[in-house]
Amino acid sequence: MKHQINFLGGQLLPIYIGIKEFMPDKIHFIASDESKEGIKILKDIFPGIIFSEFICDPFDFYSIKKRIRSIIEKLDVQDDVLINLTGGTKIMLLAAQSIISESNLKGFYVNQDYSFIEVPSYDKKQITSELSIQDFFGLSGHKIFSAKTLSDFTENDLRVSSQIESFAASNKLYSKVTDFLRKKYRVLPEKGTESTAGNSVIKWDASIVDIHSNNKSIACFKGNNARDLFFNATWWEIIVASEIGKWAKAKEIILHCELPFKTDNKALKNEIDILINTGNKLIFVECKSGNIKQEDINKMKVIKQTYGGLISKSLLVSRYMPSQSIMEKCKELDIEVFYVYAFQRVVNPLNDIYKILGKLEKKTSI
């Protein structure tokens, strides 16, 4: 029988990885009163594994060591024992290393670069198991969420999105029209006609957005989702996601991921524009086609910490170069920034985004 001893601290990801990589028959958790809530989450994820749990003082070296020894003494001689040294306090780690040395046992430590170190040989090996987006969300206690994939959008959606991007890049009327309607309507009507400043008229329904100025047609966008693409800036998210979809390291990509509160599945808590899973890391992408506010950056920080853990990364993809204060805030919060336009000219074609994605995929610093 294969046994694994785990210490629970603030992060469940290295514990989860150790379980999935070695798949023990029974897991023995040693936790504190503060960290014991994580046991239930892991039990729900691995219903086929036998669990035992023990609560201890995470800073009492001798009581922790005694607990580990009592677990081992109750096992059969032919049983295999592996100790995950990654979680818990440093005192827990020292107690485990002491037992490993005295009892000729084995352990491992999960690194941020998705490798693990064998103990006591200290050989470094690559982790072979991969995690899904559902796995990551399950570890944060969020099992229910709605999202779309690139396959949910048609070729026409991408074509219309590209047309809107070209119009927005070449005509200031786009910003004037959208700003006018956002100020006037909290919820845009399904169809309507409005006159804006500068003799501009915009007509829309679900499948068409038509803009005239001085009785001349300026732009016309047709498609089943034309209205939503134009007014909700969904067009920029689709363009960015379509480009990211070509990145070979992306195992999963979802868009418009809506997260409900744990206590009320009908109330939405947050929305993630684009979420990338590399198999061992989540990259949260916020897409901004216009102004960027401090609250947008703060939201990115909260989402990353809540749903992705320490190893996850954040990326802001903006059409225009953010202000200096936003750039400084992103640097402070370890948020990478990619922008296409600076001073009304293209400085970073969107296909250059692979470089920054590759950087984030390899980055291990917290």
Side-chain angles (χ1 to χ4, degrees):
M1 193 172 188
K2 293 167 62 178
H3 295 259
Q4 190 175 115
I5 298 174
N6 282 282
F7 307 103
L8 284 188
Q11 288 289 315
L12 294 181
L13 182 59
I15 308 303
Y16 176 87
I17 291 172
I19 296 171
K20 191 163 186 179
E21 183 72 9
F22 297 103
M23 289 307 295
D25 302 302
K26 186 172 183 178
I27 299 171
H28 307 270
F29 286 119
I30 299 178
S32 66
D33 284 325
E34 290 76 19
S35 64
K36 65 183 180 182
E37 293 300 319
I39 296 175
K40 183 181 184 306
I41 293 175
L42 291 167
K43 280 184 175 180
D44 290 342
I45 296 174
F46 296 102
I49 296 179
I50 304 169
F51 292 87
S52 67
E53 54 190 85
F54 308 92
I55 306 302
C56 69
D57 180 348
F59 303 104
D60 187 334
F61 175 85
Y62 291 103
S63 68
I64 297 167
K65 187 174 178 180
K66 183 178 179 180
R67 174 55 65 191
I68 300 171
R69 190 174 295 284
S70 70
I71 293 171
I72 296 170
E73 288 174 349
K74 294 177 182 178
L75 305 181
D76 293 334
V77 177
Q78 65 270 25
D79 287 348
D80 293 325
V81 183
L82 200 57
I83 303 178
N84 187 342
L85 302 168
T86 321
T89 64
K90 290 182 174 63
I91 297 298
M92 289 175 165
L93 170 62
L94 291 174
Q97 285 183 315
S98 177
I99 291 290
I100 288 173
S101 177
E102 293 172 8
S103 304
N104 194 29
L105 297 176
K106 293 182 179 181
F108 64 93
Y109 184 93
V110 177
N111 296 311
Q112 287 188 36
D113 63 356
Y114 217 64
S115 66
F116 67 92
I117 297 175
E118 289 184 331
V119 178
S121 67
Y122 298 102
D123 291 333
K124 184 176 180 179
K125 295 186 177 181
Q126 198 65 31
I127 293 169
T128 57
S129 58
E130 292 185 345
L131 282 72
S132 68
I133 290 177
Q134 287 279 19
D135 291 335
F136 280 105
F137 276 74
L139 289 173
S140 65
H142 293 84
K143 295 184 178 180
I144 302 173
F145 64 97
S146 62
K148 293 184 177 181
T149 65
L150 282 169
S151 62
D152 293 318
F153 298 95
T154 66
E155 286 294 326
N156 185 69
D157 290 332
L158 183 57
R159 179 183 61 79
V160 172
S161 296
S162 298
Q163 290 175 345
I164 297 172
E165 200 282 331
S166 297
F167 174 67
S170 61
N171 199 315
K172 294 181 179 179
L173 190 57
Y174 169 79
S175 296
K176 292 179 180 179
V177 167
T178 52
D179 289 346
F180 172 83
L181 292 174
R182 286 190 186 109
K183 290 176 181 178
K184 181 165 184 177
Y185 295 106
R186 184 177 179 183
V187 177
L188 190 75
E190 292 186 3
K191 62 180 180 179
T193 301
E194 285 289 348
S195 298
T196 66
N199 297 320
S200 299
V201 177
I202 181 167
K203 298 180 180 180
W204 73 89
D205 59 29
S207 59
I208 189 170
V209 176
D210 194 9
I211 303 173
H212 285 72
S213 182
N214 295 319
N215 297 319
K216 292 182 180 180
S217 178
I218 302 298
C220 185
F221 309 105
K222 297 180 180 180
N224 291 336
N225 300 314
R227 180 191 58 208
D228 292 338
L229 291 173
F230 187 89
F231 292 113
N232 297 333
T234 310
W235 58 271
W236 181 235
E237 295 168 20
I238 292 175
I239 288 174
V240 174
S242 179
E243 195 63 46
I244 291 174
K246 302 172 187 175
W247 187 41
K249 295 292 183 70
K251 305 293 183 181
E252 294 177 282
I253 298 175
I254 59 176
L255 297 82
H256 307 160
C257 177
E258 295 180 330
L259 310 172
F261 284 96
K262 294 180 184 178
T263 54
D264 185 357
N265 292 334
K266 296 180 181 179
L268 297 179
K269 180 164 39 174
N270 280 306
E271 180 178 314
I272 301 167
D273 291 343
I274 302 172
L275 182 57
I276 309 167
N277 176 28
T278 65
N280 54 50
K281 179 185 297 183
L282 294 181
I283 301 176
F284 296 86
V285 183
E286 180 80 4
C287 299
K288 303 300 292 185
S289 62
N291 293 332
I292 305 169
K293 302 175 183 177
Q294 289 280 351
E295 59 234 51
D296 296 324
I297 307 305
N298 292 330
K299 169 194 164 187
M300 293 181 68
K301 173 189 175 183
V302 171
I303 287 177
K304 172 189 175 297
Q305 291 177 337
T306 304
Y307 307 107
L310 295 175
I311 201 170
S312 65
K313 298 300 172 187
S314 295
L315 172 61
L316 170 64
V317 181
S318 173
R319 289 184 67 238
Y320 295 102
M321 182 174 66
S323 67
Q324 190 59 39
S325 61
I326 293 295
M327 294 289 280
E328 290 177 4
K329 186 72 173 179
C330 288
K331 185 176 181 180
E332 177 185 322
L333 299 179
D334 193 30
I335 296 172
E336 291 289 338
V337 179
F338 182 91
Y339 57 90
V340 177
Y341 295 96
F343 309 109
Q344 303 300 316
R345 63 186 180 86
V346 175
V347 293
N348 297 304
L350 196 53
N351 56 18
D352 284 351
I353 201 171
Y354 307 130
K355 298 175 184 177
I356 203 165
L357 288 172
K359 176 183 175 182
L360 290 174
E361 192 265 336
K362 295 176 182 177
K363 195 173 182 180
T364 58
S365 60
I366 298 172

